[in-house]
Amino acid sequence: MTSIKEQAAISRLLSFLQDWDNAGKVTRSHILSNFIETNQGKTAPELEQEFSQGASLFLVRLTTWLRLTYMTGLCLEKLLKSIGIFLSAVSSNRYLIEFLEVGGILTLLEILGLEKIKEEDKKESIKLLQVIANSGRKYKELICESYGVRSIAEFLAKSKSEETQEEVQVLLDSLVHGNPKYQNQVYKGLIALLPSASPKAQQLSLQTLRTAQSIVGTTHPSIVDCVLNVLRTMHLEVQYEAIELIKDLANYDVCTVLLKGLVDLLIPSVKETSKLQPKILNDSTVLQLTAHLPVFLQQAAAAKAIGVLARSNTTLAEQMLHLRVVHSLMAAMGNMDHSNSQRQATLTLEYFVQLFPVVEEHVRKSMGEELYKLFLSNAEDLYMKIDSIQADILAANEVNVTRALNLSGLSNNNMSFYLGPPDQEQLAYITHFQDDMEGKE
């Protein structure tokens, strides 16, 4: 026999559920607001007590209404917050299973892809997916098996709210931890985000990739090209994260490809730089255009990254010497179309000169005494002091310290990398400057 008190509680529950069933949109919105206000942070036992051991009866009504109305966006934020109270409650595994059994994960993922849904609603959907992912490995696997990584990554790339994008990063970070079956899928999804048009998405993807890379262990073949292409950004916060990831990748099997790629970026292809020629002839605002030409932004960032790597590990600096990094840095110093390329290349070359006497000797000989004195006096401001003739001398330099390095015992016999034949586009770039010099003479 139930007590009078229990009967009264059951009666209140049935009355509440009946009110919900008979309510219209406005009344249901008020019911949800009151539910959120009075039940936020409650545990599962407390919710059961509130609903006279019938909390699941209200949860099933919420999930049913969600499935019927989520495409319209009706009361969606309140509805998702209310479901979140159930799923995030302590000892809420029963509620979680009930939500998943009615296709809760697929519904949340579909919300992310709907154009008409507000950003705030999608953010609540992400928060619910966080709760599900944090509930254990099998739930992370369920999200991934529902093509969740693709949906979440696409939403991160398209989202216009930085706050929402940061919530997505938290979710992706959760999915890559404690998820051995699908961690590689998350890792690949993060790499696929690197070409995104959203700087915030790029920044957050790079941050999460550093974690994912350490968990996955092996590198994906496309990661080097993707990261190097990110260096074209004009956003310094993105560039910083890219260089931090480059520092990490230098410890993996892609180190050789990475170093060679960075050195190659110091001398842009003629195909890239020739895009400027019509603008130089026809447009007086070309200085504004060239200042942000992606290939020059990439050149400057590559010079900076090389300096960071060389200062962090002398062995990496030695490997880059055999890749003719000194020659390429001097060529970048001669790029009068982009002062930051000149500055970053000069600062990095200064370190190589200080570190290796043989480099100092070859650089002095190539520059000549006057230019070399300017270089030594203040490397950071050198780009403001050199004239066009000196810039052409730098761009057309033929410095090659590899032979001297071998004679001095700083050989690369222990380096397991292939340098390959000379890059024809780089040779064309050098010839272009040599022709300019001959014309001026």
Side-chain angles (χ1 to χ4, degrees), residues 311-358:
R311 290 178 178 87
S312 68
N313 190 326
T314 304
T315 301
L316 295 178
E318 293 173 4
Q319 291 185 29
M320 287 187 282
L321 286 184
H322 289 280
L323 294 169
R324 296 196 68 191
V325 69
V326 176
H327 158 74
S328 299
L329 285 169
M330 291 181 68
M333 288 168 63
N335 180 12
M336 296 193 76
D337 288 322
H338 195 61
S339 59
N340 196 39
S341 288
Q342 292 179 293
R343 178 175 171 272
Q344 296 294 347
T346 304
L347 292 172
T348 298
L349 181 65
E350 180 184 39
Y351 179 75
F352 278 93
V353 167
Q354 293 170 348
L355 188 62
F356 302 108
V358 66

Side-chain angles (χ1 to χ4, degrees), residues 98-116:
E98 290 172 359
F99 180 69
L100 300 183
E101 284 178 346
V102 295
I105 288 178
L106 286 173
T107 302
L108 295 177
L109 293 173
E110 283 182 36
I111 288 171
L112 301 180
L114 295 175
E115 294 183 4
K116 294 181 180 179

Side-chain angles (χ1 to χ4, degrees), residues 33-213:
S33 296
N34 292 334
F35 174 77
I36 294 168
E37 184 179 345
T38 56
N39 294 283
Q40 192 76 50
K42 284 188 176 181
T43 65
E46 288 171 336
L47 287 172
E48 287 299 327
Q49 185 177 6
E50 176 74 20
F51 285 91
S52 306
Q53 309 307 312
S56 291
L57 296 175
F58 185 48
L59 175 60
V60 74
R61 282 163 169 77
L62 295 179
T63 55
T64 301
W65 200 38
L66 174 66
R67 291 167 62 197
L68 291 172
T69 64
Y70 75 92
M71 289 189 178
T72 67
L74 179 66
C75 292
L76 191 52
E77 185 178 4
K78 291 180 181 179
L79 192 50
L80 292 173
K81 282 184 176 180
S82 299
I83 293 173
I85 288 174
F86 283 99
L87 302 191
S88 60
V90 177
S91 305
S92 64
N93 193 58
R94 169 187 162 190
Y95 303 143
L96 180 58
I97 292 172
E98 290 172 359
F99 180 69
L100 300 183
E101 284 178 346
V102 295
I105 288 178
L106 286 173
T107 302
L108 295 177
L109 293 173
E110 283 182 36
I111 288 171
L112 301 180
L114 295 175
E115 294 183 4
K116 294 181 180 179
I117 302 301
K118 293 185 294 185
E119 193 83 10
E120 294 81 3
D121 298 341
K122 294 181 179 181
K123 180 177 159 186
E124 288 302 321
S125 181
I126 288 292
K127 287 183 176 179
L128 279 186
L129 287 167
Q130 289 174 6
V131 172
I132 295 170
N134 291 335
S135 298
R137 172 177 167 177
K138 65 179 180 180
Y139 300 108
K140 294 177 183 181
E141 292 178 353
L142 280 172
I143 293 173
C144 295
E145 288 166 1
S146 304
Y147 301 98
V149 174
R150 176 184 294 181
S151 300
I152 294 163
E154 287 178 354
F155 175 58
L156 174 57
K158 295 177 181 178
S159 175
K160 304 300 181 184
S161 164
E162 292 192 358
E163 187 178 337
T164 302
Q165 288 176 309
E166 288 169 0
E167 293 290 349
V168 179
Q169 181 197 27
V170 172
L171 175 57
L172 288 170
D173 186 72
S174 175
L175 289 175
V176 84
H177 282 89
N179 188 13
K181 187 175 180 179
Y182 292 106
Q183 63 189 19
N184 207 51
Q185 186 183 102
V186 181
Y187 172 64
K188 291 177 183 178
L190 290 166
I191 295 175
L193 276 168
L194 294 185
S196 169
S198 165
K200 188 66 175 181
Q202 287 182 310
Q203 181 189 9
L204 297 175
S205 300
L206 288 163
Q207 288 176 351
T208 314
L209 255 177
R210 294 184 65 198
T211 303
Q213 185 61 70

